[in-house]
Amino acid sequence: MIRISFVGLLCILCMSADAFAQLQRKPAVLDEPVEVFLAQSLITTGTAQNLGRGNINSTIMHNFDLVSTGYQEFWGLDAGANVRLGIDVGLTDNLSVGIGRTSSEDNVDLRFKYTVLNQMASGKIPVQLAIKGDVGINTQEQPNFDFSTAERLNYFGGLLVARRFNERFSAQIAPMISHFNMVVVDDATRSDLVNTHLANGFGAEYRLNDRHSFSFEYIAVLGDRSDDTFNPMALSWQIDTGGHVFQIFVMNGNWFTEQHLIARTTDDFFAGDFRIGFNVNRVFGLKK
């Protein structure tokens, strides 16, 4: 007969408990980047959200003439439209590059976006920070001017700081600079023309549910500006189908590149001078 003392039994139980505790696995705390915005653009201005390596984003951006033209032009729908077709490619998880062409002035633009910081689910990094740059060139023939290649160039630079505050609401602030090597207008009454503009962009997105959201953007020009220009503003309803993000919007600008919006928005949103438009965003994944 084997006899085990009370002290011996207690030691065995303690060692078993310790061994069991060592075998237990605690669930790992997952930490990953937060999806701050649904698309790469709020409406016309870029977001801090980047594509990620191996992804391609194709965009169709389209607007009409001013609604204030009235029923004679079917509230702007009969007049000439402005269209930008573009494609962006994620080279790495932090760097994307793109090219686009806008029908106005046949402007071709090359752009990049570099993510400096990703907002993390754990909260250890509370914001998303990205740098965006764009170089455009007016390729349209000018019957009245003989522009050199350098004179046709235009530029944009911006620092995009964004945060998703909860499941529904995200916001962004973006200091910006716009520059045109040459500024020319046909209207002789506009004498005060500025090549370089400083601005601050504001934007937000509110998600109603998994598929529908509203977005807003506003660019406040700071300091000197060209005569008869106004701050760009846009409001949008977004629909996420899982493969596409559709955006139906109203805006007072007529461009889809930030440098043109900042320097060349000649209609006042608050005076009722805005136009209807839509964007189609489609992301394709090249990697498995």
Side-chain angles (χ1 to χ4, degrees):
M1 178 180 293
I2 300 175
R3 294 183 179 180
I4 300 176
S5 66
F6 174 75
V7 176
L9 182 60
L10 185 61
C11 290
I12 293 172
L13 291 175
C14 288
M15 287 187 293
S16 300
D18 182 63
F20 178 74
Q22 292 180 13
L23 291 174
Q24 283 183 313
R25 295 183 178 179
K26 295 182 180 179
V29 178
L30 297 178
D31 194 12
E32 57 185 3
V34 173
E35 183 188 59
V36 180
F37 293 104
L38 286 175
Q40 307 303 304
S41 298
L42 265 170
I43 303 168
T44 58
T45 61
T47 66
Q49 190 73 39
N50 219 332
L51 272 174
R53 182 175 64 88
N55 290 330
I56 294 178
N57 181 40
S58 63
T59 57
I60 301 171
M61 310 175 85
H62 185 293
N63 62 24
F64 298 94
D65 203 0
L66 296 174
V67 173
S68 57
T69 55
Y71 69 90
Q72 293 92 342
E73 295 187 9
F74 202 61
W75 296 275
L77 300 186
D78 283 345
N82 195 19
V83 179
R84 181 185 183 274
L85 303 177
I87 189 167
D88 297 275
V89 180
L91 299 182
T92 71
D93 287 336
N94 294 327
L95 176 64
S96 63
V97 297
I99 185 172
R101 182 184 181 277
T102 304
S103 57
S104 288
E105 299 182 358
D106 298 335
N107 190 78
V108 177
D109 66 280
L110 301 172
R111 61 186 185 179
F112 78 92
K113 187 189 296 182
Y114 181 76
T115 301
V116 180
L117 294 173
N118 278 306
Q119 181 180 344
M120 304 303 290
S122 66
K124 69 179 182 181
I125 301 178
V127 297
Q128 192 169 46
L129 177 65
I131 300 170
K132 183 181 179 183
D134 188 294
V135 179
I137 181 169
N138 178 343
T139 65
Q140 190 176 60
E141 292 187 9
Q142 301 289 339
N144 300 324
F145 304 99
D146 185 17
F147 287 150
S148 66
T149 299
E151 289 173 334
R152 293 173 176 270
L153 295 175
N154 50 81
Y155 310 88
F156 165 80
L159 181 66
L160 316 176
V161 185
R163 174 173 170 79
R164 184 171 180 178
F165 291 89
N166 52 47
E167 292 183 357
R168 295 186 181 274
F169 181 71
S170 300
Q172 175 173 286
I173 184 170
M176 304 174 175
I177 184 170
S178 165
H179 178 79
F180 287 76
N181 284 353
M182 178 64 71
V183 182
V184 177
V185 293
D186 294 329
D187 187 352
T189 64
R190 293 183 57 191
S191 58
D192 186 9
L193 302 176
V194 178
N195 293 76
T196 303
H197 291 78
L198 299 177
N200 206 355
F202 304 91
E205 180 179 276
Y206 184 81
R207 303 187 187 189
L208 299 174
N209 50 45
D210 291 339
R211 291 189 175 273
H212 300 275
S213 63
F214 289 105
S215 60
F216 154 83
E217 66 182 25
Y218 181 79
I219 301 176
V221 177
L222 309 174
D224 294 338
R225 66 191 304 161
S226 296
D227 276 350
D228 301 322
T229 59
F230 298 89
N231 292 337
M233 179 175 172
L235 302 169
S236 172
W237 171 36
Q238 298 183 129
I239 307 168
D240 183 5
T241 66
H244 297 77
V245 176
F246 296 94
Q247 298 168 317
I248 303 170
F249 59 78
V250 293
M251 63 182 292
N252 62 323
N254 190 38
W255 288 86
F256 300 107
T257 45
E258 288 95 332
Q259 59 264 47
H260 292 86
L261 283 170
I262 294 169
R264 298 178 59 179
T265 295
T266 57
D267 299 302
D268 185 359
F269 190 98
F270 298 102
D273 293 332
F274 54 82
R275 45 184 51 83
I276 298 172
F278 63 86
N279 296 333
V280 181
N281 301 274
R282 179 68 168 98
V283 175
F284 302 88
L286 297 182
K287 61 181 182 179
K288 295 181 179 180

